[in-house]
Amino acid sequence: MVHVDRSSPWTKVDLAPVGMIEPDAGDSDRTQCRDWLVYASNARRGQSYLHWEQLRGIGQFLDIALANLHDAVIDDGAAYDPVDAYVVAQTEIQVVFGVRATQARTLVNQAVAIVERVPRVGELLRDGTITSEMFAVSVSRTAVVDEAAVIAAVDADLAESLGNAGHISEKITTHIADRVVAKHDPDAVRRRRAKAQARKNVTTRDYDDGLAGLTITTDAEEARLAWAAINALVEGCCPNDPRPLRVRRSAAATARLRRMPFECGCDDEVTCTASLDEDAVSDRQARIVIHAVCQKSTLDGDDEEPAFLDGHGVIGADHVRGLALRPDTTVRGLDLDQFGAAEEIGESPILVENTAQPADPYRPTAALDTVVRGLFPMCTVTGCERPAWNCELDHVEEYDQFQPASGGPTCLCNIAPKCKLHHIQKTQVGATDPAAGFVDDLWIDDEGTLWTSITTPHGFTAETAAPGQWVFPQLDGVTCLHRPQPPPESHTPQSTSSAGGGLKAATAHKHAWRRAERDRLRRRRERDAREDPPPF
């Protein structure tokens, strides 16, 4: 009998060679915080490697166990059922790791995939480029591909895309995987969507303390519209309604489904300013819009390029064409000529003009607004999943309202979506001490790829390529005539008590400090690129 040893030799392992070095207690608090973040980040990369080793071990076990089964069938002619044996192997995995049967099956599927289906993506897991969660997404979203030659192409394309994506979230990984599958196997996307239609349902689930949940599974666009309709309804409550937003949403959805009136929760009918009558609610709901972006050639049926549905992700060509045919859909063409976009995909455009409204250069044109939200489909703070059309557009390098030429331009090279929370954090955290705040940046590299970065208050920098650049192939190789404002010769804080000081002086100092910090980070990025070029 094999005994599973539960003691841990890991506590004796020297982790210094993999960058896990505990900070010196004599260092400043800021330095210690940054070093602990680096320590934790390297630990997560180590988790990826160990997960790869775990899957490799499971794969080796399966190879030997199932090979013995194959020999028994060939030699003895016994009526073994390979499917049953496979399930037995999964049960052994379940016992060893103490997980549910579904989790054991997932581990087995990943162990098979890392060898037979997506080995190049598996190498990214081994190297710590992607996490175990991102690898799981890659396996599940490519499982629909059947043909060996196609899955090999998907593996190569997906590995390159993930390897070049920078610091991304699990959600962005899903978008990349879906886009790659749609590119190489549109028929598989059709099969998956047809199969998914059978999963539409309404289910309930009991919770503790007298609560229960109601889940509606429907088309992505219908769910987005229903969610927006609920929000439009609760917006009519007056400011004195004491219920949290989530509770108001629950009450509004329940009332609508039961065809009961939804009422404000304040306790003073005299001062209540709620606007919940049918006309007011209908007016708000009439302004609901969900956005999908695709190539005109896709709508015309000339190709099978996928589309992007705001708040959801990548959808197939058939799906977006169906959306375009809905009676409540408005199709608007996006004129990229004003940006100097190339007439033929593959030519290098130059983005030089007409990106700001003539009467108000602070505000982007409608076209730039759409392009930016398509390029960056979610808040550009890594890990935030707030959809772009629910975000605010932010000037990365701050716009100067008094001297526009001295600040950041309203241009593709300087506009990015941020949710309200992260926009506020950028603006207000570090108001008195800029070094205590976040520093973001946006640039276009030599290949025409747009990148954003966010540097945390303790100096950890995450860089991410624009996840939606594939939506606009006309902008491949894009360049821009704008250049970052040079850092000031000095950004020493001005006294807020002197003449001309106060909030204006503090803001000017913060912006000057950020320009200098962005310049420092750019120089470090360029140096690192020279010394350690990317793998692809």
Side-chain angles (χ1 to χ4, degrees):
M1 182 178 71
V2 177
H3 174 66
V4 179
D5 186 1
R6 297 296 182 183
S7 63
S8 176
W10 292 100
T11 56
K12 304 179 182 64
V13 174
D14 180 14
L15 300 175
V18 292
M20 296 177 62
I21 303 172
E22 294 192 12
D24 188 335
D27 289 339
S28 67
D29 288 351
R30 177 178 171 81
T31 299
Q32 289 189 63
C33 285
R34 183 188 181 281
D35 288 347
W36 276 120
L37 286 175
V38 171
Y39 186 97
S41 176
N42 286 330
R44 188 163 195 189
R45 290 172 64 90
Q47 287 177 333
S48 295
Y49 172 73
L50 288 177
H51 187 62
W52 180 83
E53 287 285 15
Q54 180 188 25
L55 296 178
R56 190 170 75 93
I58 293 172
Q60 293 294 324
F61 157 74
L62 290 172
D63 282 348
I64 297 171
L66 297 182
N68 289 337
L69 167 68
H70 180 266
D71 292 341
V73 172
I74 296 299
D75 295 340
D76 303 331
Y80 286 95
D81 185 348
V83 174
D84 286 344
Y86 208 76
V87 173
V88 170
Q90 289 180 358
T91 301
E92 196 163 359
I93 296 298
Q94 178 182 355
V95 171
V96 170
F97 295 109
V99 296
R100 297 192 303 271
T102 54
Q103 292 174 292
R105 185 162 56 251
T106 296
L107 285 172
V108 168
N109 289 341
Q110 290 181 15
V112 172
I114 208 168
V115 175
E116 298 180 3
R117 292 181 59 82
V118 287
R120 292 190 61 180
V121 176
E123 292 173 2
L124 298 181
L125 176 68
R126 179 199 63 194
D127 298 341
T129 304
I130 62 176
T131 65
S132 57
E133 295 86 356
M134 293 162 66
F135 181 72
V137 165
S138 300
V139 171
S140 65
R141 300 309 294 172
T142 58
V144 70
V145 180
D146 293 330
E147 295 183 20
V150 178
I151 190 61
V154 167
D155 178 38
D157 195 349
L158 182 55
E160 181 175 6
S161 297
L162 292 175
N164 290 331
H167 200 76
I168 59 174
S169 65
E170 185 179 337
K171 185 75 169 178
I172 295 297
T173 303
T174 303
H175 294 172
I176 293 174
D178 285 350
R179 187 260 301 170
V180 170
V181 170
K183 170 185 174 183
H184 291 277
D185 197 347
D187 287 337
V189 175
R190 293 189 185 93
R191 292 195 305 271
R192 180 163 60 191
R193 175 154 171 77
K195 186 177 180 180
Q197 295 299 300
R199 298 205 306 269
K200 291 181 178 178
N201 200 0
V202 178
T203 59
T204 62
R205 181 179 179 182
D206 288 329
Y207 299 118
D208 295 334
D209 304 315
L211 294 179
L214 179 69
T215 301
I216 302 173
T217 304
T218 185
D219 290 313
E221 63 273 15
E222 296 296 346
R224 295 292 300 168
L225 288 169
W227 175 254
I230 293 171
N231 286 330
L233 182 55
V234 301
E235 284 174 11
C237 295
C238 82
N240 296 322
D241 190 323
R243 297 172 296 179
L245 177 59
R246 62 181 182 275
V247 176
R248 279 177 279 153
R249 283 177 177 147
S250 174
T254 303
R256 276 303 195 204
L257 285 172
R258 297 185 60 210
R259 305 188 74 174
M260 300 287 287
F262 172 66
E263 299 176 346
C264 183
C266 73
D267 55 6
D268 191 343
E269 296 182 2
V270 176
T271 60
C272 180
T273 59
S275 56
L276 295 170
D277 58 276
E278 286 299 324
D279 288 342
V281 172
S282 296
D283 181 64
R284 289 194 297 273
Q285 292 185 344
R287 294 196 294 269
I288 292 173
V289 178
I290 61 171
H291 301 265
V293 184
C294 71
Q295 287 291 307
K296 183 177 182 299
S297 57
T298 300
L299 288 186
D300 292 343
D302 296 335
D303 57 48
E304 298 299 313
E305 289 296 313
F308 191 88
L309 178 63
D310 180 55
H312 173 70
V314 178
I315 59 175
D318 287 345
H319 192 167
V320 74
R321 284 193 284 261
L323 290 181
L325 294 175
R326 288 174 56 130
D328 57 350
T329 293
T330 299
V331 178
R332 291 193 178 95
L334 181 61
D335 180 13
L336 297 178
D337 292 342
Q338 59 187 287
F339 297 150
E343 293 184 3
E344 297 293 336
I345 294 176
E347 296 180 5
S348 294
I350 299 179
L351 192 68
V352 290
E353 60 185 359
N354 298 327
T355 55
Q357 296 183 16
D360 185 357
Y362 174 76
R363 300 190 179 281
T365 62
L368 179 61
D369 184 297
T370 300
V371 168
V372 167
R373 297 181 198 272
L375 288 168
F376 304 100
M378 295 184 292
C379 172
T380 48
V381 173
T382 306
C384 183
E385 297 182 1
R386 177 72 63 178
W389 265 276
N390 292 99
C391 289
E392 301 169 344
L393 292 186
D394 172 49
H395 284 75
V396 174
E397 183 176 349
E398 292 79 5
Y399 185 86
D400 192 326
Q401 297 281 3
F402 301 99
Q403 295 180 322
S406 300
T410 302
C411 178
L412 184 63
C413 67
N414 194 51
I415 298 289
K418 286 187 179 67
C419 69
K420 183 175 288 292
L421 169 65
H422 291 126
H423 200 175
I424 290 173
Q425 286 183 342
K426 173 189 173 179
T427 302
Q428 297 186 4
V429 176
T432 56
D433 177 13
F438 293 87
V439 178
D440 56 344
D441 201 0
L442 191 158
W443 67 96
I444 304 173
D445 68 15
D446 293 339
E447 304 299 322
T449 300
L450 281 86
W451 288 79
T452 60
S453 71
I454 183 78
T455 300
T456 69
H458 290 100
F460 186 91
T461 299
E463 300 177 352
T464 307
Q469 192 146 358
W470 61 272
V471 179
F472 303 104
Q474 293 86 351
L475 297 180
D476 282 353
V478 65
T479 58
C480 182
L481 295 186
H482 291 116
R483 292 292 179 265
Q485 293 291 341
E489 295 181 3
S490 172
H491 50 274
T492 303
Q494 303 178 32
S495 171
T496 57
S497 60
S498 61
L503 179 61
K504 182 178 178 181
T507 301
H509 162 59
K510 178 179 69 175
H511 292 177
W513 185 91
R514 285 180 175 171
R515 284 201 301 274
E517 184 66 4
R518 289 188 185 104
D519 182 71
R520 183 187 71 81
L521 292 170
R522 286 166 183 160
R523 285 187 279 108
R524 186 183 73 180
R525 184 172 63 244
E526 292 167 357
R527 183 189 68 242
D528 291 346
R530 290 193 301 269
E531 297 175 355
D532 185 20
F536 293 101

